[in-house]
Amino acid sequence: MYEVVRRDEIVPNIHLMVIKAPAIADKAKPGQFIIVMPDETGERVPFTISDWDTGKGTISIFFLEVGLSTAKMARIESGGKLYSVAGPLGMPTHIDKLGTVVLGGGCYGIGAIFPLARAMKEAGNRVISIIEARSAYLLYMEDSLKEFSDQLMVSTADGSRGMKGRVHEVLSRLIDSGEKIDRSYFIGCTFMMMNCSIVTRPHNIKTLVALNPIMVDGTGMCGCCRVTVKGNTKFACVDGPEFDGHEVDWQELFARRSLYLKEEAMAYQTYR
Amino acid sequence: MKNEDKKSSRQHMPEQLPELRVRNFEEVPYGYSPEAAVKEAKRCLNCKRPGCMTGCPVQVNIPKFLSLIAKGNFAAAARTVKEKNALPGVTGRVCPQEIQCESGCILGKKGAPVAIGNLERFCADYERENNLIELPGKVPPTGRRVAVVGSGPSGLTVAGDLIRLGHDVVIFEALHKPGGVLFYGIPEFRLPKSIVEAEIDFLLKMGVKIELDSVIGNIRTVDELLTGDEFDAVFIGVGAGLPAFIKIPGMNLSGIYSANEYLTRANLMKAYLFPEYDTPLVRGKNVAVFGAGNVAMDSARTAMRLGADRVRIVYRRSRDEMPARHAEIHHAEEEGVEFFLLTAPTRFMGDESLRLTGVECLQMKLGEPDESGRRRPIPIEGSEFKLDCDLAIIAVGAGANPLLTKSTKDLKINKWGYIVTDPQTGKTMKRGVWAGGDIVTGQATVILAMGAGRKASGSIHHYLTWGW
């Protein structure tokens, strides 16, 4: 059992969870994830590690309540317990001085790009962070991201804050304005990561995306998370989760992610 | 012993009728009654040179435990087994006794050998179900500490052996339940999880510690385990946890699982109890299982129990080459699993939403023997046909998972990624590190992994006492 030090609904439906896991905090690197089981009957679900504190022995994740597992997690109060937490899993992001780095985040990805911003900034890069939300009241993490970004660009789909539009649209305008981008990273829903990859492709901007297929063990044992990248099958849990967005077979990823939609809907709706 | 007992034929193990069990997950054989067990044990001739023992990878004192059962002293029989085998309830169920202990039984020359496996299972169950489990006497602690990576059959054997010798043992398990393949791989109807839990609980009561959710290689490396004073030795028994797929088009369509994933969802995550448990599983009506080993049989029989109308085993060689135990093939057939032999898949087909709809297959004929000694299957031209299926399970084996080996310095691995060890001792090329089980041999059986654990534990004990 793992103590939930803090669980806050920071904006409607998006939660921050701080978990006591000193051994994971010691080893966590940007780009890695954990697998959580909320309770003994729960599923094993991956979450990007958004921050860690080796002093306090804690790690942080952000999640959107979207199904049964996250509904269970959203009902764990600070001081409560998680049944299982395994990590850090996946290959860490390669951090280097690359020049100008664009980080795009939406949904839980706003929190998930934070350790990348911090590491990229500390490595001496010019960091431009772009975040999106449906509306202003769903934006979070702005101050933390600002601290490690040379520029923070905020967008909302309804135009209630920042630029009207989505990350890929802001990105498109940024590229059109003549900004020279050496590397770009996107974390968020599959659709957003795909759209951003489509925008950067004609400009030959190296684009990395943190894929989020369904997983079970997270150690390369089951092959549930297989994705096709440049025609080859890769396991997102051990070969990724980061892959070149221009080489990912997005259609296959969408299909594999939606295999259990019916069961997920049923389980969520009958959850009490 | 009376002469008629010697001559009596092997006691039949009663089991659930196929038409009943095909839709439930309860264990198939019911086990012996005490009367049947005594009768069966009395068949043992108490040979001067017991051939059964030479066939046992962990050297259980078989004549002794059989004679204790014959005398009605069931708990003592169980304790005799446990001196050499920490998992008697497991091995009594899943060992291929027909090619091990029972193949060495002299009675087998003219009739049926003593049912050693059934009796091992009987005494272990009897001791557990009647709360007769007793801990062996404590030995003085040596102050030495051993880390065991992986809580499958080899790791549990090492842990059981070393704790009995007074060493401190900590097992690191990547998943949230201990047992490795015993928990995630072998289905409930063949090996009830409560038995795995009880046998692991016995090790815990003897003082073994288990750290769950600990992916060694990530959360800590083998080198870190050996730094400082923390551990004096490390045993690696992480299994062959890398699923093999078939290199044909359509392999990533939705509805195609590796057997590892399918069985892990069903067994470890208890997807067969969905929605009581949260993990879902495709419940196919038309199921194709590729491969013909024990894992393929387990997958096919699980799919049957999850409501399939038809389950087909698709295998490119013939019946004679099927690697599964006869008992498993027999059980699968009784439950209505069909066998499409000399058949190989060429491509998977899906609908517009990339959901599996069928598989194109090719018929084969057998040619000359290949390097494995089995006759090589050769495609028959123009024999393509389509098999409709909404669920496919790939059970064509597993390879070496590189997660741990790639993070460990100086560990010698072969070209397939398996760890190179001294076959007599399990020593790796890295000082203070042993390995055994599937990560050394490739996919094998529970008992062979336990045998490897036994050799390693002896060598580790020698090292902790005398040095490398």
Side-chain angles (χ1 to χ4, degrees), chain A residues 189-242:
Chain A
C189 71
T190 313
F191 196 63
M192 170 263 197
M193 294 191 286
M194 180 186 74
N195 279 336
C196 292
S197 301
I198 292 171
V199 168
T200 55
R201 183 197 280 272
H203 303 281
N204 283 322
I205 298 166
K206 175 91 171 165
T207 299
L208 294 164
V209 288
L211 297 189
N212 46 10
I214 301 170
M215 294 186 184
V216 185
D217 62 287
T219 64
M221 188 268 276
C222 82
C224 173
C225 64
R226 56 195 195 276
V227 289
T228 300
V229 181
K230 213 177 173 181
N232 298 311
T233 295
K234 298 278 178 193
F235 291 178
C237 67
V238 286
D239 300 321
E242 218 171 80

Side-chain angles (χ1 to χ4, degrees), chain A residues 24-33 49 52 88-89 91-93 115:
Chain A
I24 301 176
D26 273 351
K27 285 295 172 86
K29 291 194 179 72
Q32 289 189 298
F33 66 94
I49 306 173
W52 50 90
L89 299 166
M91 300 293 288
T93 304

Side-chain angles (χ1 to χ4, degrees), chain B residues 100-113:
Chain B
Q100 293 177 168
C101 51
E102 292 179 18
S103 78
C105 176
I106 196 87
L107 287 182
K109 297 247 188 310
K110 280 191 174 164

Side-chain angles (χ1 to χ4, degrees), chain B residues 57-58 85 87 90-91 94-96 100 152-154 157 179 181-182 186 190-191 294 437-438 443-453:
Chain B
V58 293
N85 174 1
L87 310 166
V90 171
T91 53
V94 305
C95 261
Q100 293 177 168
S154 70
T157 299
V181 73
L182 306 175
I186 305 177
R190 207 149 75 75
L191 178 62
N294 292 327
D438 287 2
Q443 211 174 16
T445 59
V446 167
I447 189 66
L448 287 177
M450 292 174 67

Side-chain angles (χ1 to χ4, degrees), chain B residues 96 98-99 291-297 315 317-326 328-329 374 395 445:
Chain B
E98 64 278 6
I99 57 164
N294 292 327
V295 173
M297 300 304 144
Y315 182 50
R317 300 180 200 248
S318 76
R319 184 167 284 264
D320 290 343
E321 288 84 21
M322 285 168 61
R325 285 178 77 189
H326 283 295
E328 304 306 327
I329 297 168
R374 298 181 297 180
T445 59

Side-chain angles (χ1 to χ4, degrees), chain A residues 1-2 23-24 27 32 37-44 68-69 72 83-91 214-228 232-235 238 249 251-253 255-260 263-264 266-267 270, chain B residues 174-177 184 197 211-215 217-221 224 240-245 250-262 264-265 268-269 274-283 351-355 392 394 401-403 406:
Chain A
M1 300 291 255
Y2 299 78
I24 301 176
K27 285 295 172 86
Q32 289 189 298
M37 274 176 85
D39 56 27
E40 198 175 351
T41 59
E43 262 195 280
R44 294 175 65 95
L68 178 56
S69 299
K72 284 179 167 181
Y83 175 71
S84 165
V85 178
L89 299 166
M91 300 293 288
I214 301 170
M215 294 186 184
V216 185
D217 62 287
T219 64
M221 188 268 276
C222 82
C224 173
C225 64
R226 56 195 195 276
V227 289
T228 300
N232 298 311
T233 295
K234 298 278 178 193
F235 291 178
V238 286
D249 182 338
Q251 203 200 344
E252 179 186 282
L253 179 62
R256 291 188 65 80
R257 275 178 54 83
S258 54
L259 178 57
Y260 302 108
E263 288 86 352
E264 284 164 4
M266 198 260 270
T270 53
Chain B
L175 293 168
H176 57 276
K177 290 272 191 196
Y184 74 73
E197 283 168 327
E211 302 256 351
L212 298 172
D213 304 322
S214 299
V215 184
N218 286 34
I219 197 160
R220 299 171 82 179
T221 63
E224 284 165 339
L242 185 75
F245 289 97
M251 195 65 241
N252 294 346
L253 288 166
S254 293
I256 305 178
Y257 292 82
S258 72
N260 270 5
E261 182 190 350
Y262 187 73
T264 299
R265 283 179 176 270
L268 174 73
M269 306 310 293
F274 180 87
E276 192 189 324
Y277 280 72
D278 302 349
T279 302
L281 189 60
V282 169
R283 296 184 178 219
D351 60 16
E352 65 285 352
S353 59
L354 300 182
R355 187 84 187 234
I394 313 300
N401 187 320
L403 197 69
K406 75 173 185 214

Side-chain angles (χ1 to χ4, degrees), chain B residues 32 37 42 79-80 109 113 128 130 141 154 157 196 200 234 240 271 282 404 422 426 439:
Chain B
Y32 278 156
K42 282 184 175 169
R79 280 164 215 152
T80 300
K109 297 247 188 310
R128 188 185 63 255
N130 293 287
S154 70
T157 299
V196 180
I200 292 173
V234 176
V282 169
L404 179 128
D422 174 346
I439 190 61

